């Protein structure tokens, strides 16, 4: 069963071994676990629901609790400490666009706010209830999950927007197709969630971001239905898909989406390459991204992330041998690991990998073969489970991410890591902060930083530590010239920083669009743009 | 010097030879040229200007006439017959964003409408003045033409938005870069025009549509400046670039744009391949587009376009030999010509072409080598000049274009060609209508139809013929499920058909955006969306 206060299936554990814990203890001190609130305690902490009866709305505490929050660190703290705060007053599970329409009318009639839910994997506070003070209806879309149509000639598939990643891929696989969208949240995130938060998957280099996959769809808005037909491309004015992408529930509820799919790749391989240092690695990945070789993935870890991944991998002896071998080839302390992949027709994919390895060698890259790459692929949705294990040992893991043009990549990485260290030093704590470039573009890269630090064991202090770190890292991002999110979206947590990139004129334009579709301000209030002052 | 009433430089002529004229005469009857109005006559037909003095505004008739219209067929008819109708009351040539700001204030003060002009190559009526009845100020942006910055690491170049295609490429070429955006209007269209009309170039398969190239920029709007920073990608809410793209002057004036550029390709080649019939050709190009081979161009002519291009090419004897040779290889009557290109690093580009030719052979494709391809590249901006020559012989040439998903490609092509024939039959005339797929996508293709028919020699009748044909072809497009434009934009001519794809909800959203930036409705009124009824 799915964990109610952590990541993933509760039958799946990804343990931290003694060596890994020793590594963390050396870096930031020994952690100390604590007893979490029980599901019952958390349920009992919920305020009584304030919504009248509707055949589609459930108001039991367990259902409300399971649809109250996402996976951000403050969401975790609320769940683990049983301090839920505002929760939805009811949860609906619509099974059709007509159900959604009915729920919008119901919420409108009773002055309730609506928070749309996909898989509940948001790490930016998209799902928090009660921002506007009014009653909140969570609309869980996961029953809209069927593939309604597959157009093989145009490689288009029509899905209910609440379909989970694995279910979507399974339905496509049965016909020989794939969407190829693999964010780390893949197992529990949904198509609709990907679209309205502008998600990006690990193999976006081949398949594109969700923005490139989203071909059309249907949105139920407070002022009516918005239907967007599919065209391969169009010059006809405003692209309405772009009003849906990144709208984070503010204009309505996406019920159905048409996505561009691909035949299952005949061949797919991932390879690991080590570089002696960051400078050579960054130059290599920039050149790789700009060479348009036809790779499907590039992912570069900085030196500390490389060390951390090797330390946490287990297999101490094997890793020792690898490091000795790499050291002889010039990759010692400070080495950086690149994971690269190619997917598609065998000759093209193999040619792309060969060309990439050749380019990497020119920058001191040492190819360690496919085995590590395949291992990475195998575990790519498992790393998230580390967060559960870390918590049990008294550590929290959080992340921030941005994207910047190439000249700003290294300075942004350093600024974010340093800001985090400074923020936690104010709490007398150390942070283990490491970074990778998760998505590579000709123009620049995403910069994705992970923080590990110790749990205080006290709700207020843990919230304060998160607040300090989040604020410092977010300010470091916007002051470095980065976007406040490359792939997680804005939600409540990033909303205060959005004006730094949109400007007052951009924010005003977004407000005008949201106001047009949602004149009453009932759709996911406070997310993306802070609620308008009355 | 640039022609005032036709296409391009008046020193450049692309003559129609006797054989070509005989071919047209056989198809649709002999044409009869007529004497055009002189520049002076057209100037004298302009109403007196109604704008007060401003240091940046010119009100002489010659300047107003040269900035009154675009290149659509009704625009041509107005110019050739000296029946200009509404013209701008003044023309400004700003040299900075501050100048543009000042002009917006000036227009606002005097209740004037603004029509932004790039290179004046619109074929959809984007530039018509006087739609709202008020005085009109044309703002010609071609003095904003300098490259302000080149970021080599990020492959980003910042340009004044009024830079012409060749000037933009020349400035980039000096540094070893290219934008790679080659619409057929390339010689006289501008970067800003490409962006606000969502233009697509001939090599979009490699370089992308202008939408993918546009990384950020500055827009002066009636309610203030909108500045859009560059990021390689972002998940931070609404992508403001998408509000500028396709806005056709309705939200303000784009003064500066940052575009994604590429190093000049080390290798570039174009090859011609013939297929025995449309069915095999269409299947082949669909598979080519879906195979992601790394080509830069695919362009497939239907049988009649193939015949027409061969007939109009001159070199009757050479073409005869080619057709004999093709006939022996199965490509007889009904054969369809594919032009394909690859650009980039030599080994990759050559591999892409080899793979493409292999795939084409599997569908009966006969490769005729590089010579025809190189010839095509050499003449690719010259074909537009044919319009001048045709006019002189009493023929008009017009085009419409759309994009549809693959299952609709063939039916749309037939519907558009048939609708045109039917429309002109009502005028007792025949049409020579032929089609190519100019841009190929995994999802579908653009369908680009050219019409040649006879000039009546009478303004009202020629306008009536155009109206019949345009309406019939546009209805055929939207009834076939196509977008009203894949690459030309909406302007005035396509505005009546936009609601077919956007729906009432989509049109209302666009109105809300435009109203937000332009509450007085002074920006290019009547374009894209018909003027609101008072």
């Amino acid at each position: 069963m799915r964990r109610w206060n952590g990541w993933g299936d509760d039958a799946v554990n990804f343990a931290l071994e003694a060596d890994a814990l020793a590594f963390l203890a050396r870096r930031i001190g020994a952690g100390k676990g604590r007893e979490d609130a029980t599901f019952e305690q958390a349920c009992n902490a919920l305020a009584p629901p304030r919504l009248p009866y509707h055949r589609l709305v459930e108001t039991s505490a367990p259902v409300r609790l399971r649809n109250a929050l996402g996976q951000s660190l403050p969401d975790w703290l609320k769940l683990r400490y049983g301090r839920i705060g505002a929760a939805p007053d009811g949860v609906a599970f619509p099974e059709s666009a007509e159900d959604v329409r009915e729920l919008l009318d119901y919420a409108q009639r009773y002055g309730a706010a609506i928070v749309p839910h996909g898989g509940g994997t948001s790490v930016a506070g998209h799902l928090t209830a009660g921002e506007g003070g009014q009653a909140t209806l969570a609309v869980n879309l996961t029953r809209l999950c069927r593939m309604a149509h597959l157009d093989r000639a145009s490689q288009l598939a029509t899905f209910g927007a609440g379909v989970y990643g694995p279910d979507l891929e399974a339905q496509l696989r049965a016909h020989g197709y794939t969407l190829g969208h693999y964010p780390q949240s893949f197992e529990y995130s949904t198509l609709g969630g990907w679209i309205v938060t502008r998600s990006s998957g690990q193999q976006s280099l081949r398949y594109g971001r969700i923005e490139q996959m989203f071909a059309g769809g249907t949105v139920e808005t407070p002022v009516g239905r918005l239907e967007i037909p599919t065209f391969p491309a169009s010059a006809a004015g405003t692209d309405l898909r772009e009003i849906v992408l990144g709208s984070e529930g503010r204009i309505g509820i996406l019920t159905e989406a048409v996505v561009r799919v691909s035949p299952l790749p005949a061949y797919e391989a991932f390879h690991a390459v080590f570089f002696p240092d960051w400078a050579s690695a960054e130059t290599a990945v920039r050149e790789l991204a700009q060479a348009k070789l036809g790779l499907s993935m590039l992912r570069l870890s900085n030196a500390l992330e490389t060390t951390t991944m090797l330390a946490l991998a287990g297999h101490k002896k094997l890793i020792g041998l690898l490091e000795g071998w790499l050291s002889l080839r010039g990759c010692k302390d400070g080495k950086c690991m690149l994971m690269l992949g190619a997917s598609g027709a065998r000759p093209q994919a193999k040619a792309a990998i060969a060309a990439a390895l050749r380019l990497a060698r020119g920058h001191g890259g040492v190819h360690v073969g496919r085995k590590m790459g395949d291992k990475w692929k195998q575990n790519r949705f498992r790393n998230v489970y580390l967060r559960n294990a870390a918590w049990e040992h008294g550590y929290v893991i959080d992340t921030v991410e941005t994207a910047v043009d190439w000249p700003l990549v290294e300075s942004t990485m350093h600024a974010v890591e340093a800001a985090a260290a400074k923020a936690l030093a104010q709490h007398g704590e150390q942070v283990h902060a490491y970074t990778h470039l998760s998505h590579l573009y000709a123009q620049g890269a995403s910069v994705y930083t992970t923080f590990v630090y110790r749990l205080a064991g006290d709700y207020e202090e843990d919230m304060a530590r998160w607040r300090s770190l989040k604020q410092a890292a977010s300010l470091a991002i916007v002051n470095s010239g980065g976007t406040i999110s490359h792939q997680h979206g804005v939600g409540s947590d990033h909303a205060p920083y959005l004006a730094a990139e949109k400007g007052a004129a951009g924010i005003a334009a977004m407000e005008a669009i949201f106001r047009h579709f949602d004149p009453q301000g009932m759709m996911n209030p406070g997310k993306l743009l802070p609620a308008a002052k009355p």
Side-chain angles (χ1 to χ4, degrees), chain A:
Chain A
M1 193 180 187
R2 187 155 169 202
R3 282 186 174 86
W4 68 278
N5 66 352
W7 181 261
D9 191 303
D10 59 11
V12 178
N13 284 294
F14 195 74
L16 275 173
E17 293 179 23
D19 288 332
L21 288 170
F23 171 81
L24 283 181
R26 277 197 304 279
R27 297 278 313 170
I28 52 172
K32 188 160 160 268
R34 55 173 297 285
E35 192 135 332
D36 295 327
T38 64
F39 187 72
E40 288 66 30
Q41 286 169 336
C43 281
N44 291 335
L46 298 185
R50 297 167 292 171
L51 279 172
Y53 172 81
H54 187 283
R55 66 177 182 92
L56 292 167
V57 178
E58 296 193 31
T59 54
S60 78
V63 174
R64 290 168 61 211
L65 179 57
R66 283 186 174 275
N67 289 275
L69 294 161
Q71 291 284 326
S72 71
L73 191 56
D75 288 355
W76 265 51
L77 294 175
K78 289 175 187 174
L79 293 166
R80 296 279 184 170
Y81 284 96
R83 301 269 296 259
I84 310 303
D89 296 272
V91 185
F93 297 85
E95 298 185 7
S96 67
E98 289 62 42
D99 281 355
V100 170
R101 191 78 255 151
E102 198 178 320
L103 291 163
L104 285 175
D105 294 343
Y106 163 83
Q108 220 157 4
R109 198 157 53 245
Y110 294 106
I114 282 189
V115 178
H117 279 242
T121 61
S122 162
V123 289
H126 288 96
L127 305 173
T128 320
E131 296 266 354
Q134 70 271 58
T136 297
L137 174 65
V139 178
N140 183 309
L141 296 155
T142 54
R143 291 193 189 157
L144 297 174
C145 58
R146 277 185 323 134
M147 183 161 82
H149 187 61
L150 175 65
D151 171 353
R152 289 168 179 271
S154 293
Q155 303 188 339
L156 290 175
T158 306
F159 279 97
V163 64
Y164 286 112
D167 188 12
L168 174 144
E169 284 292 339
Q171 292 182 70
L172 285 173
R173 201 182 307 115
H175 299 276
Y177 288 86
T178 178
L179 180 62
H181 188 74
Y182 300 111
Q184 200 164 36
S185 63
F186 174 74
E187 285 186 295
Y188 290 99
S189 51
T190 62
L191 174 58
W194 299 337
I195 291 168
V196 301
T197 62
R198 295 186 176 271
S199 167
S200 188
Q202 290 163 348
Q203 285 164 263
S204 64
L205 212 51
R206 176 176 176 85
Y207 298 106
R209 293 168 63 86
I210 200 72
E211 287 130 306
Q212 282 91 50
M213 299 173 181
F214 176 48
T218 306
V219 185
E220 300 295 336
T221 85
V223 294
R225 178 174 293 183
L226 178 67
E227 271 179 299
I228 305 177
T230 60
F231 302 118
S234 168
T238 310
D239 187 341
L240 298 173
R241 291 174 303 169
E242 294 287 344
I243 290 183
V244 179
L245 288 159
S247 61
E248 303 197 351
R250 293 299 303 256
I251 65 162
I253 293 181
L254 180 68
T255 56
E256 189 170 83
V258 189
V259 285
R260 294 168 176 153
V261 299
S262 308
L264 284 166
Y267 178 84
E268 183 161 78
F270 296 88
H271 289 253
V273 176
F274 284 81
F275 290 90
D277 53 43
W278 177 259
S280 55
E282 191 194 308
T283 306
V285 293
R286 177 167 56 74
E287 292 183 7
L288 283 167
Q290 294 177 343
K292 301 187 183 177
L293 296 176
L295 296 170
S296 62
M297 193 191 75
L298 285 167
R299 187 190 188 282
L300 175 67
S301 299
N302 74 0
L304 190 53
E305 177 163 308
T306 302
T307 302
T308 305
M309 287 178 76
L310 295 176
L312 268 52
H315 319 297
K316 194 178 177 180
K317 203 161 159 192
L318 216 65
I319 297 289
L321 288 170
L322 171 70
E323 293 203 271
W325 184 83
L326 284 170
S327 176
L328 288 173
R329 278 150 191 83
C331 296
K332 308 176 206 272
D333 285 352
K335 63 183 173 293
C336 296
M337 185 171 72
L338 167 68
M339 215 48 92
L340 64 85
S343 320
R346 180 179 295 266
Q348 285 164 47
K350 289 195 125 177
I353 287 174
L357 294 176
R358 204 155 47 233
L359 192 155
R361 263 198 303 279
H363 294 281
V366 178
H367 178 212
V368 299
R370 250 186 93 163
K371 202 164 173 186
M372 272 190 83
D374 289 344
K375 195 86 195 158
W376 174 86
K377 186 192 172 184
Q378 193 185 316
N379 285 324
R380 63 175 165 172
F381 307 126
R382 299 239 140 176
N383 285 326
V384 213
Y385 285 87
L386 215 57
R387 235 180 147 191
N388 300 331
W391 179 275
E392 281 158 30
H393 293 284
Y395 295 107
V396 294
I397 301 182
D398 201 12
T399 62
V400 300
E401 39 83 47
T402 180
V404 287
D405 295 345
W406 280 113
L408 302 174
V409 167
E410 191 176 356
S411 57
T412 302
M413 172 174 87
H414 291 318
V416 171
E417 292 183 353
K422 203 168 155 193
L424 281 178
Q426 288 165 2
H427 295 266
E429 287 293 311
Q430 291 180 287
V431 67
H432 179 60
Y434 50 87
T435 299
H436 66 268
L437 311 185
S438 60
H439 296 74
L440 285 293
Y441 303 87
Q443 185 182 332
S446 68
V447 178
Y448 192 110
T449 303
T450 303
F451 310 109
V452 190
Y453 61 92
R454 294 198 297 184
L455 188 61
D458 170 81
Y459 178 76
E460 268 76 25
E461 171 60 14
D462 278 321
M463 209 48 118
R465 285 182 189 179
W466 172 76
R467 254 187 236 108
S468 299
L469 189 150
K470 185 73 173 182
Q471 186 178 32
S474 300
L475 287 174
I477 283 171
V478 299
N479 292 337
S480 296
T483 171
I484 196 58
S485 176
H486 167 270
Q487 65 200 72
H488 289 162
V490 177
S492 336
D493 298 349
H494 299 146
Y497 309 97
L498 193 64
E501 64 199 85
K502 302 294 180 191
I507 295 285
M510 291 173 67
E511 280 167 353
I513 296 169
F514 301 165
R515 203 164 42 237
H516 168 73
F517 284 107
D518 177 26
Q520 288 179 272
M522 64 185 281
M523 295 306 305
N524 217 2
K527 314 302 160 48
L528 199 40
L529 302 179
K533 307 288 172 294

